[in-house]
Amino acid sequence: MSRHYSRPFLTMLTTACATALLTICSPVLALDLDKALRDVASKNRLVGMSAVVVADGSADSVFHYGFSDLDQQRPVNDRTMYRIASISKMATAVAVMKLYEAGKIDLDRDVSDYLGFSLRHPEFAGVPITAKMLLSHTSGLRDGKGYFDFSSGALTPESPFGIRTLLQESGKYFTADMWGSEQPGPFFTYANVNSGVLGTLVEKVSGQRFDLFVKQEILEPLGMDGGFNVYEIEGIENLAVLYRASEPQADRFAGGHPARDFSAYRPGHNGLLFGPQGSLRTSAVSLVRFMKMLMNGGEYDGVRILKPETVALMDGAVWTFNGKNGDSYHNLFHEWGLGPHRITGQKGGDRIFGNLPMVGHAGEAYGLISDMYFNREKGVGVVFITNGLLDSGTFEYGEDSAFYAPEEETFKVVEKYLNLSSRTPRK
């Protein structure tokens, strides 16, 4: 377990605690936060856990618990990298928006024009599929049987079966349930395959492998560790194993580096190879850098990744649930932007800090659950990651939201710690 503060905050601590920051710099409250989060982790029998709280846009409180690798008894710490699951989609969205800013992608243009093959809903062949639809999960695509067959059989650099063989009716991996029954555009259904198409789009437009584009254009400029390609990741010994009931499910490399040759891969052939939907490995501390970049309108520590107006475009509501126009995913999804999940704060649903609106993303895979959400106006945010359960069974749902119990309980602890009712909006 460790606690860290930004340099400006340390300067303030050497003088006196400013009234506006009492909730952060009070030693009593700081110790209470550690104890409360430790209680959450212990009560829910988590293998390991990381949580980072951001207040006033800059000050961090970092918490770690448990083990990243049970066999090696390796404790979770600042260097621990997790496969953050669907939060990865936010990095994919930023990659698309960088190409949008460069004038290389029109969000409302038929993506078939970029992909080099026709992407059409078989029942609505006259309706173009756009990047905006893919980013907002309104494309009509579904994670059908073909998606899972393709993921287990064709995700190798040398595979002759590109992503088009999953998406087109004549393709080897296509199944009818890859598309819903509704017309693309108005109807929302969360689907991982959308990000596979977006990853392929990034490759086609940039001419680079998806993992390398994200590393060069986003991760390295922000000083983030990890990447989308586990075979070329640095610091593999810091990668957390993902567990269900103490049994390893993914990323069990025992500190050794897995090998794979990517020299045969052609960019634009199959972006799903690099897992744009869920395979980004990074630490909680690095993920906060990414979150702060979005909180600060596309800039972090003097490095600009996106323009403020581009971030605002991403954050804006593209789809809003009206009770009939989509699948709310157990009442969790009520609004979506161009990549971000928009939190509306509905009790029993997408509630994090009361009714405070937020943007970000959640993730779940191989026993891991993860969250990254923030409110820009108040300058607050939270990152939560656990690499799984010690006990058998699955995560229980929370009492007041559609999030799982460890997530909801962490949010409640952080909300109390931040004392949101006394916070004034940032200028």
Side-chain angles (χ1 to χ4, degrees):
M1 177 170 50
S2 57
R3 182 167 302 286
H4 309 276
Y5 299 105
S6 66
R7 189 169 299 161
F9 189 70
L10 284 172
T11 302
M12 296 179 71
L13 280 176
T14 60
T15 55
C17 289
T19 302
L21 289 176
L22 281 176
T23 55
I24 295 296
C25 57
S26 165
V28 175
L29 284 174
L31 291 172
D32 284 349
L33 177 64
D34 284 350
K35 181 181 184 302
L37 290 176
R38 181 169 289 277
D39 288 346
V40 170
S42 176
K43 171 189 172 184
N44 288 281
R45 298 285 291 156
L46 304 183
V47 176
M49 170 180 158
S50 292
V52 186
V53 182
V54 173
D56 300 289
S58 59
D60 296 346
S61 294
V62 181
F63 170 87
H64 300 302
Y65 171 92
F67 295 98
S68 62
D69 187 319
L70 288 172
D71 291 339
Q72 300 188 31
Q73 290 289 286
R74 189 167 57 234
V76 174
N77 56 38
D78 281 2
R79 297 181 301 279
T80 300
M81 292 184 288
Y82 301 87
R83 184 187 185 278
I84 60 172
S86 288
I87 300 177
S88 305
K89 293 179 175 69
M90 288 293 289
T92 300
V94 170
V96 172
M97 299 309 284
K98 283 191 71 67
L99 293 168
Y100 158 77
E101 276 193 354
K104 296 182 178 181
I105 290 178
D106 182 336
L107 299 175
D108 295 307
R109 183 176 175 180
D110 185 349
V111 293
S112 302
D113 296 341
Y114 301 108
L115 294 173
F117 63 86
S118 177
L119 180 65
R120 284 288 194 278
H121 191 306
E123 301 301 320
F124 301 94
V127 180
I129 308 298
T130 68
K132 181 180 289 185
M133 293 177 184
L134 295 165
L135 287 164
S136 60
H137 297 276
T138 58
S139 68
L141 280 167
R142 303 287 187 270
D143 292 336
K145 181 179 182 296
Y147 170 76
F148 297 100
D149 292 344
F150 184 83
S151 297
S152 62
L155 291 187
T156 61
E158 64 279 359
S159 174
F161 300 108
I163 196 170
R164 67 188 301 170
T165 67
L166 169 65
L167 304 172
Q168 294 181 321
E169 284 186 283
S170 59
K172 172 180 171 61
Y173 286 94
F174 179 85
T175 53
D177 58 356
M178 285 301 303
W179 295 93
S181 60
E182 302 82 12
Q183 177 176 321
F187 197 89
F188 172 97
T189 300
Y190 185 87
N192 291 291
V193 69
N194 287 302
S195 293
V197 181
L198 290 169
T200 308
L201 175 64
V202 168
E203 291 191 339
K204 276 287 191 180
V205 172
S206 71
Q208 288 184 275
R209 279 176 15 198
F210 174 79
D211 63 315
L212 295 179
F213 181 86
V214 172
K215 183 176 182 179
Q216 294 170 15
E217 299 293 329
I218 302 172
L219 304 184
E220 288 182 343
L222 291 176
M224 295 176 63
D225 52 24
F228 272 97
N229 189 344
V230 72
Y231 297 95
E232 297 181 0
I233 201 170
E234 296 179 7
I236 193 74
E237 68 277 4
N238 296 315
L239 190 59
V241 182
L242 307 186
Y243 294 92
R244 289 192 178 101
S246 301
E247 292 297 321
Q249 305 294 308
D251 286 357
R252 189 189 188 190
F253 301 120
H257 215 298
R260 177 171 278 186
D261 181 7
F262 287 87
S263 61
Y265 180 71
R266 306 188 312 275
H269 182 63
N270 177 21
L272 269 172
L273 178 63
F274 302 103
Q277 77 281 14
S279 292
L280 177 59
R281 277 87 169 176
T282 194
S283 63
V285 173
S286 278
L287 185 57
V288 168
R289 290 172 174 253
F290 182 82
M291 182 173 75
K292 286 182 181 179
M293 178 272 292
L294 294 172
M295 289 179 70
N296 295 328
E299 182 179 1
Y300 172 76
D301 198 22
V303 175
R304 180 158 295 283
I305 302 298
L306 293 173
K307 298 175 183 177
E309 54 268 33
T310 304
V311 176
L313 182 63
M314 290 179 66
D315 288 353
V318 175
W319 170 84
T320 300
F321 187 48
N322 65 11
K324 299 179 181 179
N325 63 340
D327 177 1
S328 69
Y329 201 82
H330 309 291
N331 204 30
L332 181 60
F333 299 151
H334 287 265
E335 284 193 348
W336 214 272
L338 293 176
H341 173 205
R342 290 170 51 89
I343 295 293
T344 63
Q346 298 191 32
K347 187 173 177 60
D350 60 341
R351 174 164 289 216
I352 294 180
F353 297 156
N355 60 1
L356 186 71
M358 305 181 80
V359 294
H361 217 291
E364 179 181 7
Y366 303 109
L368 170 141
I369 53 175
S370 58
D371 299 281
M372 180 197 75
Y373 289 98
F374 64 90
N375 176 280
R376 184 176 294 108
E377 287 69 29
K378 287 187 177 289
V380 298
V382 61
V383 163
F384 166 87
I385 312 174
T386 176
N387 59 331
L389 284 170
L390 288 168
D391 293 335
S392 60
T394 58
F395 290 107
E396 298 293 330
Y397 282 105
E399 297 178 355
D400 301 318
S401 73
F403 288 97
Y404 291 119
E407 298 169 293
E408 180 181 284
E409 291 168 21
T410 296
F411 298 154
K412 287 182 176 180
V413 166
V414 173
E415 181 183 5
K416 183 177 180 180
Y417 172 77
L418 289 171
N419 194 14
L420 290 172
S421 61
S422 66
R423 284 186 182 276
T424 57
R426 289 194 302 167
K427 295 182 179 180

